[in-house]
Amino acid sequence: KIIVTDKNRYNLMPESLRSKCIILPNYPEYFKFDKEKEASSDLRILFNGWMGLNRGTKIVEGLLKTRLPLKVYMAGWFSDEYTKNLVSAYPKQIEFLGVIPQQAALELAQTKADYILCVYAPINENNINASPNKVYDAIQTSTPIIINEEVRISEWVEEKRIGFILPMYDMKNYNSLYDDLNKIKKTFSFSCELKNSYTWENVEENLLKAHRLN
């Protein structure tokens, strides 16, 4: 068996191999933590996981340079020195938490963040056809993502209305972007049906079947 994470990646496989493929989405477990988001006049963004110039650093820096009210929570690992140096360049606006457990990242998203940053520089096919688990983290925590249009899954994000779609990764007007993000940050809604659908519990059986364990 060949495991792929979504329909898009399934369609990228050669036709001769598709009969061997199973789609096993990278959904998280159902998130039972239940706490309302803290109120804040600042725009708050969670930038976590693999942090680098091709995964959002430029966008975060562009927003920080506006000097508008912004709080960035960074957690995970740096892929380049430029991103690491960003933390020390903006000590009042960036809160760096180091590497934290997934549960802690989800709790942070649900209680503090207005958005989860989920962008990919369109420099290769892997980025364009990314299958980010942050999309499902967004659903489980009722926190919209920010994703760029060059990433193919952004069409699904737009269809489900669970995030803000950047027209391109290389943005120019960050003041306008800040205003747009801040203006609509409370307009997203996440239904219980959506949350119940995209959980690991619903697809775990597919993995067991692939290994003939049930």
Side-chain angles (χ1 to χ4, degrees), residues 165-193:
I165 312 299
L166 295 173
M168 62 187 68
Y169 185 82
D170 291 320
M171 296 293 297
K172 304 299 180 187
N173 190 335
Y174 283 97
N175 284 77
S176 178
L177 174 60
Y178 178 96
D179 290 342
D180 290 342
L181 288 168
N182 204 37
K183 182 168 61 177
I184 68 168
K185 66 182 182 181
K186 295 181 181 178
T187 65
F188 296 90
S189 61
F190 295 81
S191 67
C192 291
E193 181 183 0

Side-chain angles (χ1 to χ4, degrees), residues 86-192:
L86 193 67
V87 176
S88 56
Y90 294 90
K92 292 183 179 180
Q93 291 172 283
I94 294 177
E95 183 176 338
F96 177 59
L97 302 167
V99 178
I100 61 176
Q102 173 72 356
Q103 178 77 10
L106 293 176
E107 290 181 12
L108 178 62
Q110 182 164 307
T111 58
K112 294 182 181 293
D114 295 311
Y115 294 94
I116 299 171
L117 191 64
C118 179
V119 292
Y120 294 79
I123 56 173
N124 54 46
E125 287 297 318
N126 187 57
N127 281 5
I128 292 169
N129 294 291
S131 184
N133 58 359
K134 289 179 184 177
V135 171
Y136 309 113
D137 292 346
I139 292 171
Q140 290 299 311
T141 63
S142 299
T143 308
I145 65 169
I146 301 170
I147 192 166
N148 50 310
E149 191 173 312
E150 295 106 331
V151 184
R152 289 182 180 168
I153 200 173
S154 66
E155 295 179 11
W156 188 84
V157 171
E158 186 172 26
E159 175 192 330
K160 297 296 182 182
R161 299 180 181 178
I162 58 170
F164 182 93
I165 312 299
L166 295 173
M168 62 187 68
Y169 185 82
D170 291 320
M171 296 293 297
K172 304 299 180 187
N173 190 335
Y174 283 97
N175 284 77
S176 178
L177 174 60
Y178 178 96
D179 290 342
D180 290 342
L181 288 168
N182 204 37
K183 182 168 61 177
I184 68 168
K185 66 182 182 181
K186 295 181 181 178
T187 65
F188 296 90
S189 61
F190 295 81
S191 67
C192 291

Side-chain angles (χ1 to χ4, degrees), residues 5-167:
T5 51
D6 57 34
K7 188 70 173 178
N8 177 51
R9 290 192 169 189
Y10 171 86
N11 289 333
L12 291 172
M13 296 296 292
E15 284 193 31
S16 59
L17 294 178
R18 288 181 191 174
S19 62
K20 297 180 179 293
C21 292
I22 65 164
I23 297 174
L24 187 68
N26 49 353
Y27 299 159
E29 293 180 343
Y30 183 85
F31 187 54
K32 297 178 182 178
F33 183 79
D34 186 17
K35 192 173 180 181
E36 291 187 4
K37 202 175 294 291
E38 298 174 7
S40 174
S41 58
D42 292 2
L43 179 65
R44 301 166 299 178
I45 295 175
L46 174 60
F47 182 23
N48 68 311
W50 194 97
M51 299 178 292
L53 285 166
N54 293 326
R55 292 282 184 90
T57 299
K58 290 181 179 179
I59 292 166
V60 169
E61 184 179 33
L63 289 169
L64 287 166
K65 283 182 176 179
T66 66
R67 297 296 177 180
L68 292 166
L70 176 67
K71 182 74 172 182
V72 181
Y73 302 99
M74 293 177 65
W77 49 96
F78 304 115
S79 66
D80 50 63
E81 286 297 313
Y82 194 96
T83 305
K84 182 178 180 181
N85 293 336
L86 193 67
V87 176
S88 56
Y90 294 90
K92 292 183 179 180
Q93 291 172 283
I94 294 177
E95 183 176 338
F96 177 59
L97 302 167
V99 178
I100 61 176
Q102 173 72 356
Q103 178 77 10
L106 293 176
E107 290 181 12
L108 178 62
Q110 182 164 307
T111 58
K112 294 182 181 293
D114 295 311
Y115 294 94
I116 299 171
L117 191 64
C118 179
V119 292
Y120 294 79
I123 56 173
N124 54 46
E125 287 297 318
N126 187 57
N127 281 5
I128 292 169
N129 294 291
S131 184
N133 58 359
K134 289 179 184 177
V135 171
Y136 309 113
D137 292 346
I139 292 171
Q140 290 299 311
T141 63
S142 299
T143 308
I145 65 169
I146 301 170
I147 192 166
N148 50 310
E149 191 173 312
E150 295 106 331
V151 184
R152 289 182 180 168
I153 200 173
S154 66
E155 295 179 11
W156 188 84
V157 171
E158 186 172 26
E159 175 192 330
K160 297 296 182 182
R161 299 180 181 178
I162 58 170
F164 182 93
I165 312 299
L166 295 173

